[in-house]
Amino acid sequence: MPIPKIVILGAGYGGIAAVLTLQKKMKAREADIILINKNEYHYFTTKLHEPAAGTFPHNKARVDIKNIINSKKVKFIQDTVLEIRTRERTIILKSKKVAYDYLVIGLGSEPETFGIPGLMKYTFNRWNINSARQLKEHIEYQFATYRNEPERTELLTFVVAGAGFTGIEFVSELADRVPALCKEYDVDRELVRLFSVEANSSVLPGFEPDLVKYATAALQSKGVDLILGIPIKECSKEGVVLANGKKIKAGTVVWAAGVRGNSVIERSRFPSVRGRVEVDKYLCAPGYENVFVIGDCALVIDREKRRPYPPTAQIAEQMGKAIGENLASMVRGNKYGKKAFRPVIRGTVASLGRQDAIGMIGRRKLTGYPAVIVKRFIDWRYLFMIGGVKLMLKKGSF
Ligand SMILES: Cc1cc2nc3c(=O)[nH]c(=O)nc-3n(C[C@H](O)[C@H](O)[C@H](O)COP(=O)(O)OP(=O)(O)OC[C@H]3O[C@@H](n4cnc5c(N)ncnc54)[C@H](O)[C@@H]3O)c2cc1C
């Protein structure tokens, strides 16, 4: 009998969890397991706000895929996925085609533009290692340029669009770095302006009101100007225009106001909502028993709250693990060994810079340093899980 071919697209939180589970559960010749990813490394998206603000080395936010997979069981292909042809059971990559029997799609997200003119052209809107590196360099360049062109105070104005997880974690991190930047480039702190602009009426939706209040006060004490309840209407070379007509001249606009599923989903004609495929309880794409969608590309409805679960690393990881276990069962011919996916939300922690955070772990609310420690513990646990103590010591924040 031919050996079934399992192909996993994307080495993010979901894809890596799927691969690690499969390599643990399966013997070497039970299936051909192939992982395809754009880069030769897996990066920790949840840490990217730190290298982007320049407070953490970008190298510590990634790990070589070859160091975490078992090459006797998993073949790694570094390439870009262009399209999936489900009828032909084939994936079109930039350099070749790959066939599959079982497919797991974990290609993550792309920025949601909401049709806002200028957004893609004039903002920093991608969250990956290269973009984080570029944003860090850009921020430093703004400070350096201002010293030579002191009439251009807008160089020292930074607008962060979106006050959800990504936006708040980034703006807090940047606020923490500003004093050091001012010292390095001899800039008066009073001239630096940080704006967090949000269409909703509060920051960090999903957190309890008292935690939101704590976060709001923490941001204000760091010198972040919060503009809430007003969406951005337009982005341009000069900055942003808000829906109320107010213009903010800024040398840097960072987009963190929403994501959609990877464009490969729409290009491959899967039925989707904002690029996310509504999967069944086994994470199958509608109409396919052998195609699974996980992480930010998948839409899973929280039946209790009657709305989709938010795209998070926590859920992506759980989906990857679940799909790894189900695939191991299916490949062995155990059709009934499949388990329905049920996310377990253990808690959520949002950092507010180097020394502050808020979090909810079960029903417990945390603020300040205890929340920072829990956040670090979540990172350490993840590093330990994918690469043991060695990786945890090498890449963790201590
Ligand atoms: C700054 C920031 C902070 C965050 N903080 C948290 C947090 O604290 N907690 C939390 O739970 N969530 C957090 N999130 C959200 C979380 O990071 C995502 O939900 C999670 O990364 C989704 O995992 P994924 O496996 O779907 O995709 P990803 O982890 O994004 O991985 C997708 C992978 O696919 C690859 N890829 C993409 N397109 C292609 C292609 N065409 N061809 C080949 N490879 C491709 C990418 O290079 C990447 O390796 C944060 C996100 C950001 C940006």
Side-chain angles (χ1 to χ4, degrees):
M1 225 168 75
I3 297 173
K5 208 167 179 182
I6 303 175
V7 179
I8 296 114
L9 305 182
Y13 288 91
I16 286 293
V19 165
L20 296 187
T21 309
L22 279 167
Q23 74 179 22
K24 194 167 136 200
K25 296 252 162 204
M26 306 207 66
K27 295 197 189 92
R29 295 302 298 154
E30 270 188 294
D32 276 342
I33 304 169
I34 300 172
L35 172 64
I36 301 174
N37 194 58
K38 242 188 221 179
N39 310 300
E40 73 275 28
Y41 52 81
H42 159 63
Y43 54 81
F44 317 131
T45 319
T46 60
K47 294 286 283 178
L48 286 177
H49 54 285
E50 298 179 31
T55 54
F56 190 69
H58 71 268
N59 257 337
K60 285 184 91 169
R62 65 176 172 180
V63 56
D64 261 357
I65 288 171
K66 287 197 177 124
N67 291 345
I68 49 175
I69 61 169
N70 177 346
S71 56
K72 289 191 185 117
K73 292 187 178 178
V74 180
K75 181 178 169 199
F76 172 58
I77 300 177
Q78 186 186 346
D79 208 331
T80 300
V81 179
L82 300 179
E83 195 189 329
I84 299 155
R85 297 202 181 140
T86 44
R87 254 198 253 160
E88 299 155 35
R89 293 193 171 197
T90 302
I91 301 133
I92 314 296
L93 304 178
K94 227 177 187 171
S95 66
K96 59 178 167 185
K97 290 181 186 180
V98 173
Y100 65 84
D101 296 309
Y102 297 95
L103 179 66
V104 180
I105 308 172
L107 292 169
S109 59
E110 291 181 4
E112 174 61 274
T113 67
F114 304 106
I116 297 169
L119 191 152
M120 291 308 280
K121 189 161 178 200
Y122 298 109
T123 70
F124 288 86
N125 50 57
R126 300 265 169 183
W127 292 92
N128 57 43
I129 290 284
N130 291 330
S131 310
R133 231 176 342 210
Q134 188 188 8
L135 181 50
K136 171 189 174 272
E137 296 287 328
H138 167 88
I139 293 166
E140 288 166 4
Y141 186 71
Q142 298 296 98
F143 277 80
T145 310
Y146 169 74
R147 290 305 305 165
N148 288 323
E149 301 173 44
E151 67 291 350
R152 293 178 62 199
T153 47
E154 75 278 6
L155 291 172
L156 301 175
T157 300
F158 300 85
V159 172
V160 179
F165 237 93
T166 309
I168 291 304
E169 290 197 324
F170 173 72
V171 80
S172 310
E173 209 67 32
L174 182 57
D176 279 3
R177 184 148 186 247
V178 163
L181 284 165
C182 288
K183 199 163 173 218
E184 192 177 342
Y185 294 95
D186 309 316
V187 168
D188 179 358
R189 171 64 183 90
E190 294 297 307
L191 294 171
V192 181
R193 305 203 64 191
L194 302 179
F195 289 97
S196 168
V197 183
E198 168 59 53
N200 287 318
S201 55
S202 83
V203 303
L204 293 168
F207 281 93
E208 299 277 331
D210 47 343
L211 292 178
V212 169
K213 201 169 157 196
Y214 179 95
T216 305
L219 288 159
Q220 284 164 338
S221 76
K222 283 175 190 280
V224 177
D225 278 327
L226 296 172
I227 300 181
L228 302 174
I230 307 171
I232 287 175
K233 195 169 80 175
E234 197 185 325
C235 304
S236 71
K237 212 158 82 182
E238 275 76 48
V240 296
V241 183
L242 306 182
N244 62 4
K246 190 181 167 198
K247 290 182 185 155
I248 306 176
K249 276 185 102 184
T252 310
V253 181
V254 177
W255 190 257
V259 290
R260 56 188 290 117
N262 194 299
S263 50
V264 168
I265 295 288
E266 281 164 341
R267 218 175 300 133
S268 308
R269 299 193 183 84
F270 284 102
S272 63
V273 183
R274 291 169 60 188
R276 299 174 77 193
V277 180
E278 190 171 340
V279 288
D280 70 7
K281 60 184 178 181
Y282 300 114
L283 305 176
C284 280
Y288 301 97
E289 280 194 348
N290 63 335
V291 179
F292 306 90
V293 189
I294 59 174
D296 287 3
C297 288
L299 188 75
V300 176
I301 303 291
D302 180 346
R303 302 275 161 217
E304 248 172 58
K305 293 186 180 154
R306 294 196 192 163
R307 58 168 192 245
Y309 283 102
T312 64
Q314 183 177 177
I315 293 182
E317 211 188 306
Q318 290 179 25
M319 285 177 164
K321 188 162 179 269
I323 217 60
E325 285 170 356
N326 281 349
L327 274 171
S329 254
M330 286 167 79
V331 164
R332 289 179 179 142
N334 182 2
K335 269 195 197 167
Y336 306 102
K338 279 198 302 187
K339 281 194 205 135
F341 174 71
R342 263 185 218 98
V344 180
I345 310 301
R346 295 192 192 97
T348 316
V349 186
S351 77
L352 301 168
R354 309 306 294 157
Q355 306 293 337
D356 206 355
I358 56 166
M360 292 187 299
I361 304 297
R363 289 193 178 170
R364 244 187 114 180
K365 294 177 198 169
L366 298 171
T367 55
Y369 208 63
V372 173
I373 293 297
V374 172
K375 180 97 176 160
R376 288 198 190 153
F377 182 79
I378 294 168
D379 294 342
W380 295 333
R381 180 194 152 271
Y382 182 68
L383 292 168
F384 176 76
M385 210 185 71
I386 64 166
V389 176
K390 209 170 141 195
L391 189 71
M392 190 176 96
L393 294 175
K394 199 169 163 196
K395 306 277 177 177
S397 308
F398 292 94

